[in-house]
Amino acid sequence: MPQDANNVIDHFELFRGPEYQEMLARKKEQFENPVDAAEVARVREWTKTEEYKELNFKRDALTVNPAKACQPLGAVFVAVGFEGTIPFVHGSQGCVAYYRSHFSRHFKEPTSCVSSSMTEDAAVFGGLNNMVDGLANTLSMYKPKMIAVSTTCMAEVIGDDLNAFIKTAKEKGSVPEEFDVPFAHTPAFVGSHITGYDNAMKGVLEHFWDGKAGTVDKLVRVPDNKINFLGGFDGYTVGNLREVKRIFDVMKVDYTILGDTSDVWDTPTDGEFRMYDGGTTLEDAANAVHAKATISMQEYCTEKTLPMIAAHGQETVALNHPIGVAGTDRFLMEIARIAGVEIPEELARERGRLVDAIADSNAHIHGKKFAIYGDPDLCYGLSAFLLELGAEPVHVLATNGSKAWAKKMQELFDSSPFGAGCQAYPGKDLWHMRSLLFTSPVDFLIGNTYGKYLERDTGTPLIRIGFPIFDRHHKHRYPVWGYQGGLNVLVTILDRIFEHMDATTNVPAKTDYSFDIIR
Amino acid sequence: MSVSTVTDIAEIKERNRKLIQEVLEVYPEKTAKRRAKHLNVHEDGKSDCGVKSNIKSIPGVMTIRGCAYAGSKGVVWGPIKDMIHISHGPVGCGQYSWAARRNYYIGTTGIDTFVTMQFTSDFQEKDIVFGGDKKLAKIMDEIEELFPLNKGITVQSECPIGLIGDDIEAVSKAKSKEYDGKTIVPVRCEGFRGVSQSLGHHIANDAVRDFVFDKMGDAPPAIELTPYDVAIIGDYNIGGDAWSSRILLEEMGLRVIAQWSGDGSIAELEATPRAKLNVLHCYRSMNYISRHMEEKYGVPWVEYNFFGPTKIAESLRKIASYFDDKIKEGAERVIAKYQPLMQAVIDRYRPRLQGKTVMLYVGGLRPRHVIGAYEDLGMEVVGTGYEFGHNDDYQRTAQHYIKDGTLIYDDVTGYEFEKFVEKVQPDLVGSGIKEKYVFQKMGVPFRQMHSWDYSGPYHGYDGFAIFARDMDMAINAPIWKMTPTPWKQRPEEPLALAAE
């Protein structure tokens, strides 16, 4: 019996004991009708080959281990960033359970979201009654200031019309006529979570700016000196938004964060559960129409939102998840240009410190080959930073990346000698990445938690940057934007490189001549 | 009256009834009327908990429930390790359920086993407009080419499939024929079907019946049979639960010819109707197929509970009662063998946990099955409820598990659960990831009782030691004494640190 009351062992050790090992071997041999071990080994080797890679890249129907989620997740992300707002997902209820779990697993925080719980009858008759009852119930229970509605694939397939439904629900007294219920159609079979972010953000802003679905007059833009900031769908939103706010404050620029999720996904444990915390006030969301300009940190999260904002008369600036020196330089210079302010010395000194840190450490990164996957903008920002560090982002893959994104990536590669031979892969998944890592190996892989399977299969050390990160804690609390964020990313990369060096040099009397104590 | 100090049973019942009235007050009248049927206080001697169950959730509330797809792909089929399970429809459902349930298995992932992978048809708008059947057929061809050692395929339907009228049965049938009778199983588990995960379990069970059992026909068994063959049904091997259960059955002299579905394989599914007895852990998710095997193949089934030494011993004896003296003696031998370990675990942890109260809210069997394990540690479950239980689950709960005055909440809403916990002030809440952080913010210790908070196994004797350790770790973590901000305490309240 391996278990011991005074030294309790769990699954990590328990099943390694001989009792369990023998039992599992018996199970396999006698009952599983297993594939012969040699055949497993043969096929495994075959999957590492160029031949397999070609077959793998030829598939056009099957998707295996995609690095993207569906639209409504992005809509929920947007909704929780507004003051007192509860996301209301119109469709079948299982989806909401998934979105809430997904965010809770990443942020280790509660995520509140309701569903209209549509079932078979709604599939036949439409979900109007679910909307009418649902809005009333949500309002009475959770006392939100705003209910932001989005859809699932079910509601979209049966063609529910949110505008009409919300109007009818209000007529029936579900929520008061003047209560804010912005909406977005977010079918899961179009785009990905970043498309959902875009549609939902556009939906909220249009609601406030364009007459609240025809119930009040459209706002007349009276330009002021503020700058709007859109973070996009971002796994580091808590740390990043706080860093961005600090930067705006240091620069003494008046700003509005649109969709401020930094507090709701970082509430204190002090005996009280805050369903709503922080967030962009509804007043600020409305007044954002008057801003001088809007800066989007992620072009591909705001492909529809930015043109809509531009159509209201503002200048818009689209960045690509800037990480590192040049990316942050551009971000700050854009703020300074738009606001007509000087960049304060404090930030120049921060810049110098990041440059200092890179100068101290880049020898360990220079010339190393990387594979990166994630959302299109994150891939771009990380690649740009790697090029800055003298590294080569050899394979850059975004399952939700477009051809336009790939072209832009290529331009980035072409701009640096370290980009020679680097390639972007739009629309590909992590099983494609697996083939790439076998046939054209790199030194390190950068991606989210799912990369651990690639690390295991291919032996490529994984640096966890992206969304979701389930199996490491609290990364989202630290920014990756700004010079401070760049430093965090640099340290994250360096830590993994050094760990890898130690792990590969620690064999006594064999490789430990390089097991150095000073690096 | 401070709720946490209530000990008189009449007072507890009165408090719980008032509490139910209080939470109902927030709802619109129609909703309050509907929710009232799902909340109750258990009366001793009643054969059920007096709550309505397995009824549609109310729109706009924060139900904790999932959907039929989650029940089929996430629970029943997903853990069958040597088959490839296609999340058929848009990308999301497969992505969110990707390896999230800890169905431990042994195998070479991507080569001969596939549990921690996400295979999806990633529906695009054109697939909705023109239908996805051709794409599905192509997907199967691509699977055959790229994953040649797979032993079968299932098609887990997401919402749009049923709505656009795709004929996944026809595609599966044609492809099965094309691949020499390979097992290809269409599963109509669209998320909008039914009221929760529960219908997905049932649909998945029916798919096993139709596409695994019926397909086998009268083919001779692939294994040589013995009089002591049993199958474990309804254990998903979360953190290795089925393994710490299996070892006990084998130690008592039985031979486990199949495990459903954690660490399960298609060969084991096929062998199951030859078992002498099916031993059923999660009644809710797999009673259907167990009943079917009893009717069609004459295999009796028996429920068991492997949480905590009291229930484990009861269950081992109950299972043994279906066999001869050799097995009955085997059961006694196993109980005796582990008795010292169990005593040592209880001696170590009971003094730290005695008298602590627990509120549960979980899925299939845990709202009742774990109660005995808590009681073994001197703890008391004061509230419990099911995400997707049916009337028979509540009957089993009332008849065998709960005490007079227990607060019962079926398909609890986030709002109700928070209010209940706030007022009852249990020492521990056991529920899922969506609830975890809500209660921790409130300063209430919490364990995830779907995933064991990434610990486990909790089943069997080996598992109970881990269960006891984890509950102690949760309740007695020093951090909970620091939850209140000391300088914000009201003067009449002693400082939390000083209280201990």
Side-chain angles (χ1 to χ4, degrees):
Chain A
M1 166 167 27
Q3 193 59 285
D4 176 351
N6 292 311
N7 180 26
V8 173
I9 52 170
D10 52 28
H11 57 93
F12 293 103
E13 293 295 328
L14 185 64
F15 302 121
R16 296 180 195 180
E19 299 91 338
Y20 280 101
Q21 285 297 303
E22 284 159 24
M23 181 186 85
L24 293 172
R26 259 196 323 273
K27 174 183 186 294
K28 182 179 176 184
E29 272 322 302
Q30 294 180 14
F31 307 112
E32 289 179 5
N33 184 25
V35 177
D36 177 63
E39 179 66 354
V40 172
R42 186 192 68 76
V43 172
R44 193 178 187 185
E45 289 309 309
W46 173 61
T47 64
K48 300 176 181 176
T49 61
E50 194 67 45
E51 179 198 348
Y52 188 85
K53 180 191 145 192
E54 273 173 36
L55 288 174
N56 192 11
F57 271 77
K58 249 193 247 164
R59 72 182 144 93
D60 63 2
L62 173 67
T63 298
V64 187
N65 299 350
K68 66 171 180 179
C70 67
Q71 275 214 62
L73 187 77
V76 172
F77 186 103
V78 167
V80 299
F82 289 88
E83 178 198 20
T85 299
I86 192 158
F88 182 111
V89 176
H90 184 56
S92 46
Q93 72 198 13
C95 312
V96 166
Y98 279 142
Y99 313 144
R100 294 181 65 209
S101 300
H102 206 64
F103 282 131
S104 290
R105 288 183 175 124
H106 176 80
F107 292 112
K108 319 295 180 207
E109 291 283 327
T111 302
S112 300
C113 176
V114 296
S115 164
S116 60
S117 287
M118 285 161 65
T119 56
E120 285 105 330
D121 53 347
V124 178
F125 302 111
L128 176 60
N129 289 337
N130 298 65
M131 180 69 77
V132 172
D133 290 348
L135 289 178
N137 286 329
T138 302
L139 183 65
S140 61
M141 291 173 87
Y142 298 112
K143 316 255 180 314
K145 287 192 176 158
M146 176 160 96
I147 303 175
V149 178
S150 57
T151 53
T152 66
C153 51
M154 176 193 183
E156 290 297 324
V157 171
I158 65 176
D160 279 2
D161 178 350
L162 293 185
N163 189 24
F165 280 17
I166 293 165
K167 212 167 153 224
T168 308
K170 284 187 168 182
E171 280 163 14
K172 292 186 179 236
S174 299
V175 295
E177 198 65 43
E178 66 282 3
F179 191 82
D180 291 311
V181 188
F183 64 88
H185 286 276
T186 50
F189 45 81
V190 175
S192 73
H193 56 285
I194 61 173
T195 325
Y197 177 98
D198 196 12
N199 281 326
M201 184 57 79
K202 180 165 165 275
V204 170
L205 297 181
E206 275 178 339
H207 169 81
F208 285 107
W209 297 0
D210 291 347
K212 302 189 171 188
T215 59
V216 295
D217 291 340
K218 289 186 181 185
L219 293 180
V220 178
R221 187 172 124 85
V222 185
D224 60 23
N225 273 325
K226 280 190 163 183
I227 295 178
N228 296 326
F229 178 88
L230 287 165
F233 191 107
D234 171 25
Y236 298 86
T237 184
V238 169
N240 271 344
L241 290 184
R242 287 188 182 147
E243 179 63 7
V244 164
K245 286 189 233 182
R246 188 185 67 87
I247 289 170
F248 275 114
D249 288 341
V250 167
M251 292 181 76
K252 300 195 167 58
V253 171
D254 223 355
Y255 63 92
T256 304
I257 307 274
L258 293 170
D260 183 353
T261 46
S262 60
D263 285 341
V264 73
W265 273 322
D266 193 21
T267 66
T269 286
D270 58 1
E272 186 197 342
F273 164 54
R274 297 159 176 83
M275 177 177 272
Y276 311 109
D277 199 5
T280 310
T281 66
L282 306 189
E283 200 187 354
D284 282 351
N287 286 333
V289 72
H290 306 305
K292 202 169 182 185
T294 294
I295 296 178
S296 163
M297 219 55 165
Q298 299 198 59
E299 178 183 1
Y300 298 100
C301 286
T302 46
E303 286 181 308
K304 288 180 204 151
T305 303
L306 282 191
M308 184 279 288
I309 292 173
H312 281 77
Q314 286 182 34
E315 182 187 350
T316 60
V317 176
L319 304 175
N320 298 97
H321 210 300
I323 294 175
V325 181
T328 305
D329 289 350
R330 171 151 182 236
F331 174 51
L332 298 189
M333 289 191 292
E334 288 286 15
I335 298 174
R337 177 184 64 78
I338 295 163
V341 297
E342 295 287 313
I343 298 174
E345 183 54 22
E346 188 178 339
L347 290 173
R349 289 179 68 87
E350 282 178 23
R351 183 185 192 278
R353 290 184 194 118
L354 175 59
V355 173
D356 180 71
I358 293 171
D360 292 346
S361 309
N362 72 328
H364 295 290
I365 304 178
H366 192 100
K368 294 243 172 4
K369 291 177 165 42
F370 286 79
I372 305 172
Y373 69 88
D375 285 341
D377 290 292
L378 176 66
C379 283
Y380 190 96
L382 280 170
S383 299
F385 188 38
L386 286 179
L387 293 173
E388 220 162 62
L389 298 171
E392 298 169 27
V394 176
H395 314 301
V396 182
L397 181 150
T399 310
N400 50 359
S402 60
K403 280 185 185 147
W405 166 80
K407 191 164 165 272
K408 195 170 171 126
M409 287 301 309
Q410 193 54 51
E411 285 162 13
L412 175 69
F413 298 145
D414 293 344
S415 72
S416 162
F418 296 94
C422 298
Q423 197 181 332
Y425 295 89
K428 298 298 177 196
D429 56 44
L430 299 189
W431 199 255
H432 291 116
M433 179 63 100
R434 184 177 180 273
S435 280
L436 291 172
L437 292 177
F438 277 127
T439 55
S440 170
V442 296
D443 298 304
F444 293 93
L445 170 67
I446 300 182
N448 63 16
T449 278
Y450 294 112
K452 74 194 289 175
Y453 298 120
L454 293 170
E455 180 178 38
R456 179 183 62 182
D457 281 357
T458 68
T460 318
L462 171 65
I463 296 163
R464 282 174 179 74
I465 299 175
F467 175 91
I469 306 283
F470 293 148
D471 64 338
R472 295 293 185 271
H473 289 201
H474 308 307
K475 301 293 180 195
H476 65 276
R477 296 173 193 266
Y478 299 90
V480 301
W481 290 338
Y483 301 121
Q484 302 282 7
L487 192 59
N488 285 335
V489 174
L490 177 69
V491 170
T492 303
I493 294 171
L494 285 167
D495 278 352
R496 189 70 189 87
I497 289 176
F498 290 134
E499 271 166 34
H500 183 68
M501 273 185 207
D502 286 342
T504 51
T505 56
N506 65 1
V507 183
K510 206 167 175 194
T511 59
D512 63 345
Y513 48 84
S514 304
F515 195 61
D516 288 331
I517 203 161
I518 297 169
R519 279 176 168 149
Chain B
M1 176 174 75
S2 163
V3 282
S4 56
T5 58
V6 176
T7 49
D8 180 74
I9 189 69
E11 274 181 45
I12 288 174
K13 285 186 182 174
E14 180 56 24
R15 177 204 67 190
N16 285 351
R17 282 195 201 98
K18 265 169 108 175
L19 195 44
I20 290 172
Q21 285 315 310
E22 261 177 63
V23 299
L24 290 172
E25 273 163 24
V26 76
Y27 293 109
E29 202 183 319
K30 185 169 103 181
T31 307
K33 233 168 139 180
R34 284 175 63 186
R35 281 304 304 158
K37 295 175 183 160
H38 298 267
L39 309 172
N40 210 346
V41 181
H42 178 58
E43 288 288 342
D44 227 2
K46 290 271 174 72
S47 65
D48 65 29
C49 305
V51 297
K52 294 271 185 231
S53 58
N54 197 32
I55 293 172
K56 270 198 288 192
S57 301
I58 290 164
V61 307
M62 204 147 22
T63 175
I64 291 159
R65 284 174 167 176
C67 63
Y69 164 89
S72 176
K73 194 268 183 179
V75 176
V76 177
W77 277 108
I80 301 291
K81 62 183 180 181
D82 52 2
M83 297 176 79
I84 284 175
H85 311 288
I86 302 168
S87 292
H88 190 44
V91 66
C93 316
Q95 198 72 2
Y96 308 124
S97 57
W98 182 2
R101 225 163 169 257
R102 305 169 55 229
N103 310 108
Y104 282 9
Y105 66 100
I106 306 284
T108 307
T109 300
I111 309 299
D112 67 348
T113 46
F114 310 93
V115 179
T116 49
M117 294 177 72
Q118 132 77 325
F119 291 84
T120 175
S121 46
D122 189 14
F123 259 38
Q124 302 298 308
E125 205 155 15
K126 63 178 191 304
D127 302 312
I128 301 289
V129 177
F130 300 110
D133 286 345
K134 276 188 189 150
K135 186 174 195 179
L136 179 60
K138 187 126 199 276
I139 283 170
M140 290 181 187
D141 289 341
E142 290 176 354
I143 284 175
E144 287 304 287
E145 184 167 51
L146 292 169
F147 303 95
L149 301 187
N150 83 79
K151 296 271 189 68
I153 297 169
T154 75
V155 183
Q156 306 288 321
S157 304
E158 299 173 6
C159 283
I161 305 306
L163 297 171
I164 63 177
D166 274 6
D167 193 350
I168 59 169
E169 288 82 2
V171 176
S172 302
K173 195 175 168 187
K175 283 290 158 189
S176 173
K177 206 172 159 196
E178 189 182 326
Y179 310 141
D180 297 326
K182 185 185 197 82
T183 303
I184 301 184
V185 186
V187 193
R188 285 278 173 196
C189 55
E190 288 89 346
F192 60 81
R193 292 189 197 277
V195 302
S196 67
Q197 295 91 313
S198 186
L199 188 66
H201 305 140
H202 196 160
I203 291 167
N205 278 208
D206 288 353
V208 173
R209 178 194 65 200
D210 297 344
F211 295 92
V212 180
F213 291 173
D214 288 0
K215 193 187 132 225
M216 297 182 320
D218 297 324
I223 52 168
E224 210 169 298
L225 300 170
T226 78
Y228 302 116
D229 291 349
V230 298
I232 291 176
I233 308 284
D235 191 320
Y236 300 98
N237 208 31
I238 306 300
D241 281 337
W243 295 333
S244 57
S245 302
R246 182 185 185 104
I247 204 163
L248 300 180
L249 299 175
E250 290 193 355
E251 281 189 78
M252 70 193 269
L254 297 171
R255 196 174 78 140
V256 181
I257 63 169
Q259 251 178 248
W260 288 42
S261 56
D263 196 35
S265 54
I266 180 81
E268 289 168 82
L269 290 188
E270 289 170 352
T272 306
R274 321 281 185 180
K276 292 289 177 292
L277 179 71
N278 281 325
V279 299
L280 176 56
H281 207 235
C282 181
Y283 169 84
R284 180 71 276 132
S285 58
M286 285 202 178
N287 79 84
Y288 318 98
I289 197 70
S290 303
R291 290 175 199 278
H292 173 72
M293 282 189 270
E294 182 173 43
E295 280 165 27
K296 178 146 188 203
Y297 306 99
V299 187
W301 55 278
V302 58
E303 281 181 78
Y304 71 107
N305 175 354
F306 270 7
F307 287 103
T310 306
K311 293 293 173 190
I312 297 172
E314 262 177 42
S315 294
L316 289 175
R317 291 188 174 116
K318 193 159 74 172
I319 292 167
S321 74
Y322 286 78
F323 295 93
D324 59 17
D325 284 352
K326 184 187 144 199
I327 300 299
K328 286 178 187 137
E329 283 157 20
E332 294 307 324
R333 192 180 62 243
V334 169
I335 293 165
K337 175 185 164 189
Y338 286 94
Q339 206 279 332
L341 171 67
M342 292 300 96
Q343 196 55 52
V345 168
I346 288 168
D347 288 347
R348 181 167 180 205
Y349 290 106
R350 190 166 174 136
R352 303 169 60 82
L353 298 171
Q354 182 77 39
K356 302 285 187 191
T357 56
V358 187
M359 288 177 76
L360 298 170
Y361 182 72
V362 221
L365 60 92
R366 291 152 178 177
R368 61 175 182 277
H369 271 201
V370 296
I371 292 175
Y374 282 114
E375 287 174 347
D376 285 334
L377 293 167
M379 299 168 70
E380 193 188 347
V381 173
V382 295
T384 192
Y386 292 86
E387 263 180 59
F388 48 82
H390 296 206
N391 194 30
D392 46 5
D393 292 300
Y394 284 100
Q395 273 173 3
R396 285 164 161 76
T397 310
Q399 287 164 11
H400 305 293
Y401 288 98
I402 51 172
K403 289 188 171 148
D404 202 21
T406 305
L407 188 59
I408 308 293
Y409 29 81
D410 176 68
D411 184 22
V412 79
T413 67
Y415 173 81
E416 292 162 5
F417 203 12
E418 281 156 45
K419 290 290 163 206
F420 289 155
V421 170
E422 201 179 291
K423 295 290 172 62
V424 175
Q425 295 180 20
D427 297 298
L428 179 74
V429 173
S431 191
I433 182 76
K434 306 190 290 302
E435 297 74 64
K436 179 182 173 81
Y437 301 106
V438 170
F439 295 118
Q440 288 190 174
K441 302 282 178 193
M442 289 162 62
V444 182
F446 187 97
R447 287 300 291 180
Q448 290 191 65
M449 296 305 279
H450 300 272
S451 67
W452 309 148
D453 258 313
Y454 323 108
S455 176
Y458 281 178
H459 291 179
Y461 289 118
D462 286 338
F464 179 68
I466 304 164
F467 175 85
R469 178 199 71 177
D470 287 1
M471 297 310 137
D472 172 47
M473 165 205 303
I475 290 176
N476 294 311
I479 194 63
W480 302 121
K481 290 179 189 146
M482 298 169 200
T483 304
T485 315
W487 59 90
K488 286 187 181 173
Q489 302 256 322
R490 275 166 294 167
E492 68 268 24
E493 283 176 313
L495 280 178
L497 282 169
E500 290 298 314

